[in-house]
């Protein structure tokens, strides 16, 4: 949990520190390269295109957020009854998860459309609707988080603290909905990632609540110590609920605590693989897919709250802002160095170094999908081939079939302890998977429960040419 928290912090600080610098460098290249001549090269690299798109999304959404009145929203929510606010807060938590899942698909579609080479010039027009969809998503998600933060702020400022008590008890209701269900290792991995994202988001919401309250009391330090016990109580209840929930889930499902070391190694593998020269994806996008944490809406809301709460006047204030920005860059660089060093240690301990040079799961799956598609057309005369195969359905949709890829290929996957949950199938295993799926091999194999790899369960949608 701690390792995942600092991964989210690194991706969150990236939006404030390195992303503006990368956008400025990309814009300088965009304006200076045409003067010097292209010499047959691309105007912008795929990674620079994605940086510019992120920068434009943040600027447009911030200008739209400036028209949202935080004070009116606060008084509107404060006028509601306690039970109604409790229901609203629960609905916002569900909507936040749905928005995160759907939003990453929107951003992936935008990055893919913007960076994928196109044969016709008019195909570039498809970037425009995807861009406006991404802007609308980030704006709506930021508004949703703002309502969530405002509800939490109302709970802190209520006289009898009844709403805050009810919201804290909601964490213990989460235990009831999770402990008595059947969990496997992959499901527990997804739940752990979701808990890490939820914990980090709650900390940022508490920071926003403190900023708004301190502004109302003219930054009086005495008021901070009035808020501090409530903030500490909310954080402690969140940690206690996660500890109890995971302890009983592992107990009832007979899962060893060593599995969390495998989860940590899987997250470390994502970090190390994204730092390679020929990485398939940006690191912040990798964290977004794995944990469902999208930093853009949360960062946008924090920028909006800070700019409205802190007044900058005079040269001394600008110097303080510059020093604060340099301090954030220093924190980001130090955090990245420590995370990368620890991740290399975790990857070595899990014996996953050789897998760093293999293509990511999505690339393997897409390559297998194309091979399977070609092989099915070659063997169209086979009597055991179902009608759906003739239509060329994707490899992902065939998981539900009785003789699916995962069932037939289960004996061919590596059997070492470190590779059971932490490795991706090799290319030779891919060929066996395809042959088994088309009926050429494995007809006598028994039906088995499909086992998913930890590196595959996050449903990567990686743009293969994003980073050179």
């Amino acid at each position: 949990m701690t390792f995942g928290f600092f991964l989210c912090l690194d991706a969150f600080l990236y939006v404030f520190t390195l992303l503006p610098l990368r956008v400025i460098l990309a814009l300088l290249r965009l304006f200076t390269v045409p003067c010097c001549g292209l010499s047959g090269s691309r105007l912008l690299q795929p990674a620079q295109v994605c940086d510019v798109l992120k920068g434009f999304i943040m600027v447009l959404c911030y200008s739209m957020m400036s028209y949202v009145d935080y004070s009116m929203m606060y008084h509107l929510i404060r006028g509601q009854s306690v039970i109604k606010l409790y229901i609203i807060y629960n609905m916002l938590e569900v909507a936040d998860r749905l928005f995160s899942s759907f939003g990453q698909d929107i951003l992936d579609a935008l990055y893919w459309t913007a960076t994928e080479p196109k044969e016709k010039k008019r195909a570039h027009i498809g970037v425009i609707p995807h861009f406006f969809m991404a802007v609308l998503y980030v704006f709506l998600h930021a508004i949703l988080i703002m309502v969530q933060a405002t509800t939490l702020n109302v709970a802190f400022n209520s006289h009898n603290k009844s709403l805050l008590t009810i919201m804290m008890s909601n964490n213990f209701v989460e235990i009831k909905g999770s402990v008595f269900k059947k969990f496997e290792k992959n499901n527990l991995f997804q739940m752990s990632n979701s808990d890490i994202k939820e914990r980090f988001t709650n900390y940022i919401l508490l920071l926003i609540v403190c900023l708004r309250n301190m502004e109302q009391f003219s930054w009086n330090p005495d008021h901070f110590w009035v808020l501090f016990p409530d903030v500490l109580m909310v954080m402690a209840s969140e940690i206690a609920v996660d500890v109890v929930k995971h302890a009983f889930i592992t107990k009832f499902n007979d899962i060893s605590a060593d599995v969390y070391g495998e989860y940590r190694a899987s997250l470390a593998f994502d970090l190390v693989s994204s730092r390679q020269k020929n990485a398939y994806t940006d690191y912040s996008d990798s964290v977004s897919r794995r944990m469902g944490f999208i930093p853009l809406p949360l960062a946008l809301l924090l920028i909006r709250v800070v700019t409205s709460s802190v007044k900058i006047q005079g040269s001394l204030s600008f110097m303080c802002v510059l020093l604060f920005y340099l301090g954030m860059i220093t924190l980001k660089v130090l955090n990245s160095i420590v995370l990368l060093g620890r991740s290399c240690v975790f990857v070595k301990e899990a014996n996953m170094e050789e897998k760093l040079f293999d293509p990511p799961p999505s690339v393997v799956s897409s390559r297998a999908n194309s091979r399977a598609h070609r092989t099915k057309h070659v063997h169209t005369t086979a009597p055991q081939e179902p009608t759906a195969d003739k239509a060329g359905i994707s490899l992902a949709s065939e998981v539900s079939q009785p003789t699916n890829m995962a069932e037939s290929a289960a004996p061919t996957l590596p059997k070492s302890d470190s590779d059971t949950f932490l490795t991706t199938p090799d290319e030779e295993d891919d060929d066996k998977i395809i042959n088994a799926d088309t009926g050429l091999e494995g007809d006598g194999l028994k039906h088995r429960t499909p086992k998913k790899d930890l590196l595959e369960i996050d449903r990567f949608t990686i743009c293969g040419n994003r980073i050179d």
Side-chain angles (χ1 to χ4, degrees):
M1 287 289 188
T2 305
F3 182 76
F5 176 84
F6 282 103
L7 287 180
C8 291
L9 177 64
D10 194 63
F12 188 67
L13 289 176
Y14 170 82
V15 179
F16 298 98
T17 56
L18 299 185
L19 182 60
L21 299 178
R22 290 169 65 100
V23 171
I24 292 174
L25 292 176
L27 292 178
L28 287 176
R29 175 181 171 84
L30 184 64
F31 292 130
T32 57
V33 168
C35 302
C36 304
L38 290 175
S39 66
S41 61
R42 299 185 58 160
L43 189 62
L44 286 178
Q45 298 299 324
Q48 293 176 320
V49 173
C50 296
D51 292 333
V52 172
L53 289 174
K54 289 179 182 178
F56 284 154
I57 289 173
M58 292 294 290
V59 171
L60 287 177
C61 291
Y62 178 78
S63 61
M64 296 166 64
M65 287 284 291
S66 62
Y67 294 98
V68 179
D69 192 351
Y70 187 92
S71 300
M72 186 174 66
M73 182 183 298
Y74 175 83
H75 290 290
L76 182 65
I77 294 177
R78 189 179 179 87
Q80 308 300 321
S81 62
V82 174
I83 299 300
K84 187 182 293 186
L85 288 179
Y86 172 69
I87 296 174
I88 290 175
Y89 193 79
N90 287 338
M91 292 173 60
L92 290 175
E93 285 189 343
V94 176
D96 179 59
R97 297 188 180 186
L98 297 179
F99 264 70
S100 299
S101 177
F102 184 60
Q104 187 58 47
D105 295 336
I106 292 177
L107 295 176
D108 280 338
L110 173 63
Y111 301 152
W112 176 269
T113 310
T115 58
E116 185 68 8
K118 300 172 181 62
E119 298 177 356
K120 299 179 180 180
K121 292 185 177 180
R122 62 184 180 184
H124 291 275
I125 302 178
V127 178
I128 299 177
H130 284 176
F131 177 76
F132 284 110
M133 287 177 62
V135 171
L136 181 63
Y137 155 71
V138 174
F139 175 70
L140 293 179
H141 198 176
I143 293 294
L144 187 144
I145 300 175
M146 177 182 281
V147 177
Q148 200 171 0
T150 307
T151 308
L152 190 61
N153 196 7
V154 171
F156 268 81
N157 293 331
S158 59
H159 297 291
N160 53 4
K161 306 292 183 182
S162 59
L163 179 59
L164 186 61
T165 305
I166 294 175
M167 292 169 64
M168 289 176 56
S169 65
N170 189 39
N171 291 329
F172 293 91
V173 177
E174 185 180 349
I175 297 180
K176 176 184 176 182
S178 303
V179 166
F180 303 106
K181 292 182 180 179
K182 176 66 177 177
F183 276 90
E184 296 182 357
K185 290 185 177 181
N186 293 339
N187 304 118
L188 185 58
F189 182 46
Q190 291 176 313
M191 171 176 280
S192 303
N193 290 333
S194 177
D195 290 340
I196 293 170
K197 176 252 181 184
E198 182 182 359
R199 184 180 298 184
F200 184 83
T201 304
N202 288 338
Y203 290 168
I204 300 298
L205 292 179
L206 291 174
L207 175 62
I208 293 174
V209 169
C210 291
L211 287 175
R212 295 299 301 177
N213 278 275
M214 292 297 291
E215 183 210 358
Q216 296 299 322
F217 287 87
S218 302
W219 300 97
N220 186 5
D222 295 334
H223 183 67
F224 175 76
W225 297 111
V226 176
L227 290 174
F228 184 74
D230 294 335
V231 172
L232 192 63
M233 187 168 53
V234 172
M235 295 170 60
S237 67
E238 186 75 25
I239 295 175
V241 165
D242 287 342
V243 169
V244 173
K245 180 175 67 175
H246 284 268
F248 279 101
I249 286 177
T250 52
K251 173 182 172 60
F252 291 154
N253 294 277
D254 196 18
I255 298 176
S256 173
D258 297 335
V259 73
Y260 291 99
E262 299 179 6
Y263 298 161
R264 184 180 59 189
S266 179
L267 296 177
F269 183 89
D270 288 340
L271 174 58
V272 176
S273 60
S274 64
R275 298 299 189 189
Q276 295 182 103
K277 182 178 179 180
N278 296 321
Y280 286 87
T281 182
D282 188 66
Y283 165 63
S284 58
D285 296 329
S286 176
V287 174
S288 300
R289 293 186 188 93
R290 179 69 76 180
M291 298 185 184
F293 172 68
I294 304 178
L296 292 182
L298 198 59
L300 177 65
L301 177 60
L302 186 59
I303 293 173
R304 170 71 173 82
V305 171
V306 170
T307 52
S308 63
S309 302
V310 180
K311 304 300 180 183
I312 301 176
Q313 296 177 350
S315 58
L316 184 61
S317 299
F318 283 102
M319 288 297 298
C320 292
V321 171
L322 180 61
L323 290 175
F324 183 74
Y325 177 70
L326 294 177
M328 282 201 305
I329 291 181
T330 305
L331 177 61
K332 167 70 173 68
V333 173
L334 289 177
N335 190 36
S336 300
I337 293 174
V338 174
L339 281 178
L340 185 59
R342 297 302 300 169
S343 298
C344 293
V345 173
F346 296 147
V347 169
K348 288 181 181 179
E349 290 177 353
N351 299 323
M352 298 170 60
E353 295 177 270
E354 67 278 0
K355 293 298 174 183
L356 289 173
F357 305 100
D358 293 344
S362 66
V363 179
V364 174
S365 302
S366 60
R367 184 173 65 244
N369 188 14
S370 61
R371 291 181 191 168
H373 189 72
R374 291 195 301 267
T375 310
K376 288 170 187 174
H377 282 289
V378 172
H379 299 279
T380 51
T381 58
Q384 68 274 17
E385 184 177 7
T387 307
D389 285 345
K390 296 179 182 179
I393 61 175
S394 65
L395 191 65
S397 62
E398 293 174 4
V399 175
S400 59
Q401 297 182 9
T403 56
N404 56 32
M405 176 189 70
E407 293 171 350
S408 303
T412 66
L413 295 178
K415 290 298 182 180
S416 63
D417 295 337
S418 61
D419 292 345
T420 305
F421 294 97
L422 297 173
T423 57
T424 56
D426 295 331
E427 189 170 351
E428 293 79 11
D429 297 328
D430 250 353
D431 296 333
K432 295 179 182 179
I433 288 171
I434 302 305
N435 294 334
D437 188 55
T438 53
L440 299 179
E441 290 183 7
D443 292 333
L445 296 179
K446 296 181 180 179
H447 299 306
R448 298 188 181 184
T449 305
K451 293 183 179 180
K452 288 188 177 181
D453 192 281
L454 281 184
L455 298 177
E456 293 178 352
I457 64 174
D458 51 348
R459 305 186 308 278
F460 271 94
T461 53
I462 294 176
C463 307
N465 64 338
R466 283 280 306 281
I467 298 178
D468 294 338

